[in-house]
Amino acid sequence: MNEPPRLPEGSFAAWSHDRLALARRGADECGDVWQLESGVYVAATAGPCEEVLRRAQDFPKASSPLFPPLKRSSGAPTSEERAHAHAARMRGLRPQAVAARIGEIAPRAALFADQWPTGQDVEILPPVRHALAEIGVRYLFSEDAPTLLPFASQLFLAREVLVRPSRWVWPRWIPTPARRFRTRQQVAFTNALRPIVRRRRSSGRLGDDMLGQMLRSSSRYGLLPEEAILDTLPGITVATFETPSRAAGWILLHLARHPQAADRVAAEAASLPADPAATTSTHLDSLQYTQALVREVLRLHPPSWLLTRRATRQTQLADYTIDAGSTVLVCPYTAHRDAREHPEPDRFQPERWLDDSGSPAKPGAFLSFGTGPHGCEGAALAMAMLTLLTAQTARRYRLSEPPGPEPSYQVTTFEGLATVGLRLRATLLS
C-alpha cells in the first residue's frame, strides 16, 4: 500500500506543542499529503485540500454538530426536515440577500469604530465580538435581535467552554459539566426564540430577515415544522460572529503593522456615505482594495485553519492510499502558503487579489471559507461585515501595537487561529 510520508518527529505530542510549526514542516518536507500518526493524514497543499472538501461523500464532515438537536418528547426533526431547514436558511444568506441589506450592516460597523477609545491600549477582541454579534444577530432576526442577543452571547460562552482544551476526550454520551452548560444555554435560546416564531406566523408578518425566509412556505417542501427551524438556528447564530471575530483580530493587527496599506484603505473608505445607513452594495463593491486586504489576511491567517474529515471507504488522495475510517486533516493554513498558487506566499500582499491571476474562484487558491458542499454558508455575510468594519476603522484611526518587547497577543490554534488578548491603540487621523 502506498502510504503518505511521515515526519521522523511527527506525533501528537509534537503536534500539540506547536501545531502551526509542525504543519509547515510537514508541508515543506513531505509534500501534498503527509502522515501525522497511523490513520491520521494531513492534506497540506491546495490541490489535495480542494479535493477532500469537494469529495464530501468520500470525506464527509463530522456528524456531531456543536449544537445537536435537543431531545424532546415529540422527537427530533427528520434528516429530510433538517435538509429543508438548511436550504431555507441559505435563502437568507446567499450573496444577493446580503447585498440587499448592506444598509443594515454598515451602521453597526461604523458604531464600533466611533466607540473605540483613543489614546490608550485596548484589548480589542471583546468589543469586536460584541459589534459583530449585534450585526450578525440583527441580520438573522431584525427587530427581534435585542431580545435574542443576550442568549446568543451565552451560546458563544457555551461553545468556548465546550471546545476548551482538555486532557480527556469524553464519549459523546457522557453529560460533562460543559455539555450540560451547553444544553442549558441552547434550551434558553430556543425558549426565547419559540414565541417569536409563533408570533410571526400567527400575525402573518414573517419578516424579511433570515428567520422570515425560513418561515415562508416553499413550493418544494411546504412549511417547515417549528422544531426544524428552532434546532437549526443556535449554530448559525454563533457562527455569524464567532469566526469573523477571529478574522477581525488579524485584520486590525495588519492595519497596525502595515500603515501604507491602512492609508490605502482609508482613502478608499472616504467614498462611503456620511450616513452609514445609506451604504449600498455598490459602495461595498467599490471597496476593492479593502476587500483584497481582508482576503489576504484571511489567506495568511485562516480563522478555521484546520478542518477534520473522515474517509468512508478506502480511496486515493494525491496518489496515496487512504484507508476507510482514517482521519484527514485539511489545512488551509499551509495550502495558502503553496508557492505554486501564491508567489512569495509568506508576504503580505493584498494586491495579489486585484488581478485575475489571484481570483479566489481558482481551485485551491482560497479556502478560508472552505469549499464544496460544506463550504461556509455565511461567507458573503462575513466578507461584508469584515470589509465594512475594516473600512470604517481605517478611515478614522491610525492603529498601533503597544510599545515594548512583549507581543501584544498570544496565538491560539485550538478550534481556530486567533489573536488572544490582542491590544491595540487607536489615534485619530488628522
Side-chain angles (χ1 to χ4, degrees):
M1 187 174 70
N2 185 20
E3 286 197 331
R6 183 169 179 175
L7 284 174
E9 299 84 8
S11 66
F12 275 113
W15 181 253
S16 300
H17 178 67
D18 191 340
R19 298 202 292 174
L20 292 181
L22 198 65
R24 290 294 299 269
R25 276 197 57 204
D28 292 342
E29 298 179 24
C30 298
D32 292 340
V33 179
W34 58 281
Q35 188 174 179
L36 177 60
E37 286 200 344
S38 180
V40 181
Y41 306 97
V42 181
T45 56
C49 286
E50 174 92 10
E51 185 178 351
V52 170
L53 294 177
R54 290 200 176 278
R55 290 171 57 188
Q57 287 187 326
D58 292 336
F59 300 102
K61 193 176 180 180
S63 60
S64 56
L66 188 65
F67 294 101
L70 295 170
K71 294 180 180 179
R72 301 184 179 93
S73 58
S74 57
T78 66
S79 58
E80 184 179 20
E81 288 171 342
R82 286 197 295 269
H84 292 165
H86 179 267
R89 193 169 74 192
M90 283 300 299
R91 291 203 302 266
L93 291 168
R94 58 192 176 188
Q96 303 94 316
V98 174
R101 299 182 62 192
I102 295 300
E104 301 173 42
I105 297 171
R108 295 286 169 178
L111 183 62
F112 162 78
D114 285 338
Q115 293 180 339
W116 192 323
T118 58
Q120 56 183 292
D121 298 332
V122 177
E123 186 175 343
I124 199 57
L125 286 189
V128 163
R129 189 179 302 115
H130 180 75
L132 293 178
E134 286 198 330
I135 295 172
V137 175
R138 185 168 292 276
Y139 184 88
L140 301 182
F141 304 112
S142 293
E143 71 276 3
D144 294 307
T147 299
L148 295 170
L149 186 59
F151 297 98
S153 298
Q154 288 298 107
L155 282 177
F156 170 79
L157 180 59
R159 180 205 181 282
E160 292 296 285
V161 171
L162 196 66
V163 302
R164 195 169 290 162
S166 172
R167 291 179 57 190
W168 307 102
V169 179
W170 298 101
R172 295 176 193 167
W173 54 268
I174 294 181
T176 64
R179 289 169 183 165
R180 292 200 302 271
F181 179 68
R182 186 243 340 248
T183 299
R184 288 197 300 271
Q185 302 314 315
Q186 194 173 345
V187 167
F189 177 85
T190 300
N191 287 343
L193 182 57
R194 188 186 304 277
I196 293 171
V197 169
R198 292 179 177 176
R199 169 175 52 79
R200 290 195 188 191
R201 276 187 163 168
S202 63
S203 68
R205 295 191 294 272
L206 303 181
D208 295 325
D209 51 18
M210 195 201 72
L211 177 59
Q213 293 292 337
M214 298 185 73
L215 294 175
R216 283 173 168 74
S217 179
S218 165
S219 58
R220 184 175 178 183
Y221 46 77
L223 281 174
L224 281 171
E226 183 177 283
E227 303 305 333
I229 294 173
L230 296 173
D231 277 346
T232 193
L233 286 173
I236 190 63
T237 299
V238 172
T240 59
F241 61 92
E242 188 267 337
T243 302
S245 296
R246 293 202 299 264
W250 290 109
I251 292 168
L252 296 174
L253 179 63
H254 278 72
L255 289 181
R257 290 184 171 178
H258 300 274
Q260 289 184 329
D263 287 344
R264 189 166 173 181
V265 172
E268 198 173 65
S271 66
L272 292 174
D275 177 8
T279 307
T280 66
S281 60
T282 301
H283 294 113
L284 182 66
D285 291 342
S286 71
L287 300 175
Q288 294 186 12
Y289 182 80
T290 307
Q291 292 190 55
L293 182 143
V294 170
R295 200 172 293 279
E296 178 70 346
V297 174
L298 291 175
R299 180 187 72 84
L300 289 168
H301 305 283
S304 299
W305 74 281
L306 198 68
L307 308 170
T308 303
R309 300 292 187 265
R310 189 172 295 276
T312 57
R313 63 182 181 90
Q314 187 180 84
T315 186
Q316 297 295 116
L317 180 65
D319 297 325
Y320 296 113
T321 299
I322 306 297
D323 281 336
S326 298
T327 296
V328 179
L329 303 176
V330 177
C331 190
Y333 180 82
T334 53
H336 288 166
R337 285 166 169 76
D338 186 343
R340 293 168 294 185
E341 303 293 337
H342 303 287
E344 299 182 272
D346 288 315
R347 182 183 173 194
F348 174 70
Q349 188 180 7
E351 292 79 7
R352 74 175 77 236
W353 299 104
L354 295 177
D355 57 45
D356 291 338
S357 64
S359 169
K362 184 180 177 184
F366 188 75
L367 299 171
S368 289
F369 295 118
T371 191
H374 297 296
C376 175
E377 59 194 272
L381 177 60
M383 277 299 296
M385 294 163 69
L386 292 170
T387 301
L388 291 168
L389 191 81
T390 303
Q392 293 290 358
T393 301
R395 76 186 295 193
R396 288 166 172 79
Y397 306 115
R398 170 78 73 203
L399 302 185
S400 61
E401 293 181 85
E406 297 298 321
S408 61
Y409 62 96
Q410 291 183 327
V411 176
T412 180
T413 59
F414 195 83
E415 282 296 312
L417 190 58
T419 52
V420 173
L422 176 64
R423 301 184 69 82
L424 294 173
R425 177 173 295 210
T427 302
L428 279 169
L429 293 173
S430 55

